[in-house]
Amino acid sequence: AKLKLAATFLMGYPGMPTIYYGDEVGVYGSSDPDCRRTYPWGHEDQELLGYYKKIIKVRNDHKQLFAHGDVFTLKADGDVYVYGRSNQGEDAIIAMNRGNSKEIVLDASNFAEGTLFKDALDDNYTVSVQNGRLTLELGTLKARMMLNK
């Protein structure tokens, strides 16, 4: 689950995301000489691979936003880190929680009142800016990639 949080951070952040060989299917290692194992052909972690494909698609579908958009921290508190992205009327909120489930309230003054954000990782989850604030539910070890378009 923590690998998913790190991958979500990476796909939403400026710059060229780099995935180390095998991370997308759960390859791991430990101290040398077991620092990296071979690719598990036929035994890939399909759920993890599906997650990587989803977050990569979100980034690719919003290239201008994620490649050129402004980035700003919305919340950094304990186990929660949330940052925003904005570019030419397109906005995103990337939220990560490495701790227990919680509700967080964000200062959303960077976004227009009533702006609706939909989680690209959970089609059933939407929130909107109300009175300059945004309230998010973040489950245990959960990430969200919220987009206004």
Side-chain angles (χ1 to χ4, degrees), residues 52-67:
Y52 267 88
K53 286 180 178 180
K54 189 177 235 182
I55 60 175
I56 290 168
K57 182 176 182 345
V58 172
R59 185 176 179 96
N60 285 339
D61 288 350
H62 303 274
K63 285 182 183 180
Q64 291 302 310
L65 173 63
F66 291 118

Side-chain angles (χ1 to χ4, degrees), residues 78-108:
D79 291 324
V80 173
Y81 183 65
V82 184
Y83 63 92
R85 302 295 310 270
S86 290
N87 188 53
Q88 299 177 357
E90 189 175 17
D91 303 301
I93 296 172
I94 310 300
M96 294 144 295
N97 176 21
R98 68 176 183 190
N100 294 325
S101 183
K102 61 183 67 180
E103 179 180 276
I104 61 167
V105 178
L106 304 173
D107 173 358

